[in-house]
Amino acid sequence: MKLLQLLLILAFFQFHQICSRVIQPSQSPPVAPSPWPERFHAVLYMNLSTGYPQITNLWYDWPKGRNVNIMQKQLKDQVYDVEWDNGTSFYYTLAGNGACRTMYFEVGIPRPDWLDGANYLGREYSNGFLCNVWEKVDFIWYYEDVVTKIPVRWDFYDGIITHVMTFEVGAVLEDSQVQAPEYCFQEGKDQFLNTAFE
Ligand SMILES: *[C@@H]1O[C@H](CO)[C@@H](O)[C@H](O)[C@H]1NC(C)=O
Ligand SMILES: *[C@@H]1O[C@H](CO)[C@@H](O)[C@H](O)[C@H]1NC(C)=O
């Protein structure tokens, strides 16, 4: 009697499993891209709208409320873009005479879950990586590796495509590397901006 009961239960369980397998779509779309790790370093390669290449070292540090882009255009001075969560951004060069522009934004740095609410578009290969793709407010198209969940690429509305070349979770940039130079706090350094940052 007991054995029969057990068999019945097993049979029911299996039936239930088969049913749920049939009823559920084979794969429901992922809800949102994976949140960004609280800290990471990525090397990004992009082709600017001028057609010129740029390498950017992105150091995202949510606990410190800091997002740093160190931008290298071909054979030009490196440009630092140090964004703080209080809305202040320092945009400067260290080479030559040095130039700095301080900017204030309403919003701080992106939250780790800044891609929440994006629309899922399906799967697509990018540079040989099978990716889930999302779009958010016609501003960004975001490609995440299906297996590793690492971002592979993002495209901005202006046509600039960013390729993620390396992605190091947990890497931290030393504070001394992003100390805004003293001339960020002086008048008159903006005049160098046009030549330095074009
Ligand atoms: C970069 O952009 C230019 C102009 O938009 C295009 O001609 C060129 O093929 C692009 N290069 C790469 C490597 O994507
Ligand atoms: C925001 O934080 C940075 C880094 O601590 C600081 O240099 C800057 O002055 C702050 N901005 C404001 C408006 O408080």
Side-chain angles (χ1 to χ4, degrees), residues 134-179:
W134 289 265
E135 165 276 319
K136 191 158 186 188
V137 294
D138 280 340
F139 173 75
I140 192 167
W141 282 257
Y142 190 85
Y143 293 66
E144 181 187 278
D145 188 293
V146 163
V147 178
T148 62
K149 312 287 186 201
I150 285 174
V152 170
R153 155 182 170 185
W154 53 81
D155 303 355
F156 283 116
Y157 65 98
D158 58 4
I160 295 179
I161 297 175
T162 297
H163 301 280
V164 180
M165 307 304 287
T166 68
F167 195 80
E168 237 180 309
V169 175
V172 179
L173 185 61
E174 269 187 48
D175 292 348
S176 62
Q177 297 293 302
V178 288
Q179 178 57 55

Side-chain angles (χ1 to χ4, degrees), residues 45 47-49 51:
Y45 165 75
N47 186 11
L48 303 179
S49 39

Side-chain angles (χ1 to χ4, degrees), residues 9 15 25 33 39-40 49 52-53 81 84 89 94 104 114 117 124 134 146 150 153 163 165 172 177 180 183 191 197:
I9 289 167
F15 174 73
R39 290 178 157 134
F40 69 86
S49 39
Y52 293 163
D81 170 21
W84 294 95
S89 284
L94 294 176
Y104 303 93
W114 66 282
E124 200 183 308
W134 289 265
V146 163
I150 285 174
R153 155 182 170 185
H163 301 280
M165 307 304 287
V172 179
Q177 297 293 302
Y183 44 82
Q191 59 187 307
F197 298 159

